[in-house]
Amino acid sequence: MLVAVFVAAGASLLGSFAILKRMALVGDALSHVALPGMALALIFKFDPFIGAIAFLLTAVTGIWVIEYRSSLSLETIVGVFFTASLAIGALIMPEHDLIEALFGNITELTLRESLASIALSIILIVSLLSIYKKLTLNMVSEEMAQSIGIKNRRLEFIYLLSFALGVALGIRFVGALLMGSLVIIPAASAKNISRSLHSFMSGSVVFGVIAAALGIYVSKTYSFPPGPIFILISSVIFLTTLFIRQAKKGL
Amino acid sequence: MKMLEVKNLNVELGGVKVLDDINFDVEKGEVLAIIGPNGAGKTILLKSLIGLIPFRGEVRWLKGVKTGYVPQRMDIETDVPLTVKEFFRLRGKLATDEKIKEALDFVQLDESILRAGLGEISIGQRQRVLVAWAVVGSPDVLLFDEPTADIDIAGQESIYKMLYHLQKNLGLTVILVSHDLNVVYRHTNTVLCLNRKNLCFGAPDKVLSTEQLLALYGGENAFFHHKHD
């Protein structure tokens, strides 16, 4: 459960920036890229995390280069290539592992893996917090960011790298299909009820953590897979915040 | 003292020449207005001056000059979870409470705006916030891209008043993109007419002849009724 909480905290923090940047769908599709990497890892018997992160790093580097070189819309490129990689992953993935890879299973982590996940999540959170001001400025106005000497390209690359790390961590928990939701839903919920950046970021993390803890608890008690449960709980939180937002508007 | 010297500035975007051999210079403490029809390359020119857009030619700022840039518009949603105060804080340590308050005074905004969301305030207010944001960095030169379409005449007028107030009190050099010729005549020292090329450059009452305006905007009617995007 601790692992899930840390991973969810990191992922929701990532998500708050994905929402600010309005790249929610890009993030979702990006998480699919991990699948062929995991499949190769399973076939050649090395750690699926390594496979996932290798593919993700390649993909984010690709995104980063394409964003500045090509006139094609990023959404189009991501939509085509990354869903294709999901298809490839699904084909070459050993069948008995497929469901787990698609929908995740965090309960099977070894102690070493758990500790590594927690450590990496902490690194992710710390590095995001250390650049959040620059990142936010980059997202509200690239030009103003550049005008005060922020290196936008480098910053975006660091963000994409953290994104790759977050996805690789979360994929054990919720799987390749649902990973996008782990990142996006808590942040989207927090946005419904926040006016300030501070409450947005902390709200996102709090929602992610609550959904993760509750999700693991429920899935253990009733022996469901934790990923889908997590997503369902987050969705309930989202609907609740949406309701609160509408109610506030009505006043 | 020359604040800025621009020589043979050329910008190409996607293989199309958008700025062709632009030459001008800006003296310290003066107000330069860049005017021209839509698509003339005014915003592009402003952006290339501060290195936001790659260009060929020479853009030489006085050594050690600090520039502040106010973009035409921000690409944000009305419910962006960011308060005005947090927006100032994004500048980092430079933005102390005191500095922010001082900057807000300059742009004649009340401190209460700090608690508002950046997406909630009116466009005129946001423009002032953006100017204040630039002022927090204690710039020597302010580059101001006018947002015309989204702001009413009274709002524009008061923003100009504020800009001249800034220029007088802080000794700022101001380079602005303007759509309003009245403003140009009343408040600027120099004007640069732009339509992909340098069409005129000099004091407004000297260079802005009727023929010059016709050449710039393509006919009297086009000038009086041209629409802003």
Side-chain angles (χ1 to χ4, degrees), chain A residues 112-133:
Chain A
R112 217 197 67 186
E113 283 174 321
S114 305
L115 290 178
S117 294
I118 291 177
L120 286 173
S121 300
I122 292 174
I123 292 177
L124 175 65
I125 294 167
V126 170
S127 50
L128 279 178
L129 287 180
S130 69
I131 57 167
Y132 86 92
K133 281 186 177 170

Side-chain angles (χ1 to χ4, degrees), chain A residues 235-248:
Chain A
S235 307
V236 171
I237 294 179
F238 179 77
L239 286 176
T240 316
T241 55
L242 195 62
F243 180 75
I244 295 174
R245 175 197 166 101
Q246 293 305 331
K248 267 191 189 164

Side-chain angles (χ1 to χ4, degrees), chain A residues 16 19-20 22 132-148 150 152 190-192 194-201 245 249, chain B residues 47 50-53 67-77 79-83 86-87 89-93 115-118 120 130 133-134:
Chain A
S16 42
I19 293 263
L20 276 183
R22 274 172 278 171
Y132 86 92
K133 281 186 177 170
K134 289 181 183 175
L135 210 48
T136 311
L137 189 58
N138 162 277
M139 285 163 187
V140 292
S141 169
E142 266 183 49
E143 292 140 11
M144 294 185 85
Q146 194 168 343
S147 76
I148 63 163
I150 290 174
N152 283 314
K191 189 175 174 227
N192 280 337
S194 311
R195 278 176 72 218
S196 72
L197 184 65
H198 182 76
S199 70
F200 173 55
M201 282 167 58
R245 175 197 166 101
K249 265 193 188 165
Chain B
K47 285 185 180 175
I50 46 175
L52 291 175
I53 290 179
T67 56
Y69 173 64
V70 181
Q72 192 170 28
R73 56 169 60 89
M74 283 178 105
D75 190 22
I76 55 172
E77 297 162 315
D79 62 345
V80 63
L82 184 68
T83 62
E86 284 172 329
F87 177 60
R89 289 267 193 252
L90 295 182
R91 283 206 77 124
K93 290 189 190 81
R115 288 190 298 275
L118 188 64
E120 295 170 342
L130 293 182
W133 199 90

Side-chain angles (χ1 to χ4, degrees), chain A residues 174-207:
Chain A
V174 294
L177 267 192
L178 300 179
M179 184 56 216
S181 326
L182 180 69
V183 173
I184 296 307
I185 301 180
S189 313
K191 189 175 174 227
N192 280 337
I193 54 166
S194 311
R195 278 176 72 218
S196 72
L197 184 65
H198 182 76
S199 70
F200 173 55
M201 282 167 58
S202 48
S204 172
V205 171
V206 168
F207 289 148

Side-chain angles (χ1 to χ4, degrees), chain B residues 36-38 179 181 213-214 216-229:
Chain B
N38 285 327
H179 299 79
L181 284 176
L213 289 172
L214 278 171
L216 180 60
Y217 288 101
E220 227 162 338
N221 286 332
F223 159 58
F224 282 113
H225 298 294
H226 93 281
K227 272 198 180 137
H228 304 301
D229 65 4

